Amino acid sequence: MSPPFLSVIIPVFRDADELRTLLRILCAHCRRDRIEIVVVNGDSADRCLHELRFQYRNVRWVDSPPGRGRQMNEGAHASAASWLMFLHADVRLHHDWLSVIEEADRKPEVVGGAFRFSLPTKRLFARVIEHAVAARVRLFALPYGDQAFFVRRTAFERIGGFAPVPLMEDVDFIRRLAVIGRLWFPDTAVVVSPRRWDKDGWLRRTISNLALLALFFCGVSPNRLARWYQKE
């Protein structure tokens, strides 16, 4: 049997509730001969996933040491598709998401890309964040990992996948990917859970994210940033 067109790789770490909803949506609309779903669990002691493993036997389940970059690499190595998409468990896709990647496949110069960022809340501050993210992507070609990166396998392997760092693995990855080919950012949106902003405070979370990015570009190591982030 020929390999699938796309592998949807979902790194999880104690995300059973979010993953349950995501798998229900994905498995209802994914043709198994076309799309492969790979869940990479970063906490082997998490018994909450046992029920999901039994329920979704057509999903490929992979165990990995924790660390999103490491987990996504493990998922890519366990998959066989020509395209890879890295999807956070609390992100929801537009109904037309697959056609976006199919269109990217028809553009030989495109090595990868990401979807448009949106938040499912009526808060005015959420609209400010959405516009700021759109400007960052438009001006600097710099999406974050919660925008569901998609990448050709050949390009992924060429740049060596994600760096095994505890933070900013998505920024590092997309910058290296941009060096070898064109990135494409369609207008099709993904819906990102606002739970981090609700938990930490909208202004505080936004300032923290901007500070982390600025410090990273100033040369502060991801290990040091991760320690600061965990304290926050």
Side-chain angles (χ1 to χ4, degrees), residues 10 14 49 75 173 221:
I10 309 168
R14 301 171 187 170
L49 293 185
F173 177 84
S221 75

Side-chain angles (χ1 to χ4, degrees), residues 67-148:
R68 186 170 277 158
R70 185 180 290 111
Q71 289 173 244
M72 291 188 291
N73 285 340
E74 291 287 346
H77 295 154
S79 69
S82 57
W83 279 87
L84 308 171
M85 183 172 73
F86 300 95
L87 183 64
H88 294 185
D90 61 352
V91 171
R92 302 295 175 256
L93 297 165
H94 187 271
H95 67 86
D96 202 32
W97 66 271
L98 181 56
S99 67
V100 168
I101 302 176
E102 291 172 334
E103 185 175 351
D105 188 53
R106 295 190 292 270
K107 301 174 184 287
E109 74 280 8
V110 171
V111 295
F115 293 86
R116 178 169 57 85
F117 176 93
S118 67
L119 289 163
T121 173
K122 295 182 179 179
R123 286 177 177 268
L124 179 60
F125 201 81
R127 305 289 82 77
V128 173
I129 293 172
E130 290 172 349
H131 285 296
V133 171
R136 186 186 71 226
V137 172
R138 183 175 62 255
L139 296 174
F140 304 109
L142 193 62
Y144 283 172
D146 54 10
Q147 292 175 246

Side-chain angles (χ1 to χ4, degrees), residues 56-221:
Y56 293 100
R57 297 185 183 183
N58 293 323
V59 169
R60 181 169 297 185
W61 297 88
V62 178
D63 289 318
S64 165
R68 186 170 277 158
R70 185 180 290 111
Q71 289 173 244
M72 291 188 291
N73 285 340
E74 291 287 346
H77 295 154
S79 69
S82 57
W83 279 87
L84 308 171
M85 183 172 73
F86 300 95
L87 183 64
H88 294 185
D90 61 352
V91 171
R92 302 295 175 256
L93 297 165
H94 187 271
H95 67 86
D96 202 32
W97 66 271
L98 181 56
S99 67
V100 168
I101 302 176
E102 291 172 334
E103 185 175 351
D105 188 53
R106 295 190 292 270
K107 301 174 184 287
E109 74 280 8
V110 171
V111 295
F115 293 86
R116 178 169 57 85
F117 176 93
S118 67
L119 289 163
T121 173
K122 295 182 179 179
R123 286 177 177 268
L124 179 60
F125 201 81
R127 305 289 82 77
V128 173
I129 293 172
E130 290 172 349
H131 285 296
V133 171
R136 186 186 71 226
V137 172
R138 183 175 62 255
L139 296 174
F140 304 109
L142 193 62
Y144 283 172
D146 54 10
Q147 292 175 246
F149 289 174
F150 50 89
V151 58
R152 292 184 191 270
R153 174 178 291 279
T154 52
F156 180 88
E157 293 175 348
R158 181 176 171 185
I159 66 172
F162 290 91
V165 293
L167 204 66
M168 292 292 167
E169 77 290 332
D170 50 354
V171 174
D172 170 78
F173 177 84
I174 207 71
R175 291 175 71 198
R176 288 186 289 116
L177 187 62
V179 172
I180 67 168
R182 178 189 164 201
L183 300 179
W184 184 44
F185 305 115
D187 190 52
T188 303
V190 290
V191 178
V192 178
S193 170
R195 60 179 178 163
R196 289 175 298 166
W197 287 271
D198 287 336
K199 177 182 177 183
D200 300 338
W202 282 74
L203 183 60
R204 180 181 178 184
R205 169 49 50 199
T206 301
I207 293 173
S208 177
N209 287 345
L210 291 172
L212 287 168
L213 183 63
L215 290 169
F216 177 74
F217 277 107
C218 287
V220 178
S221 75

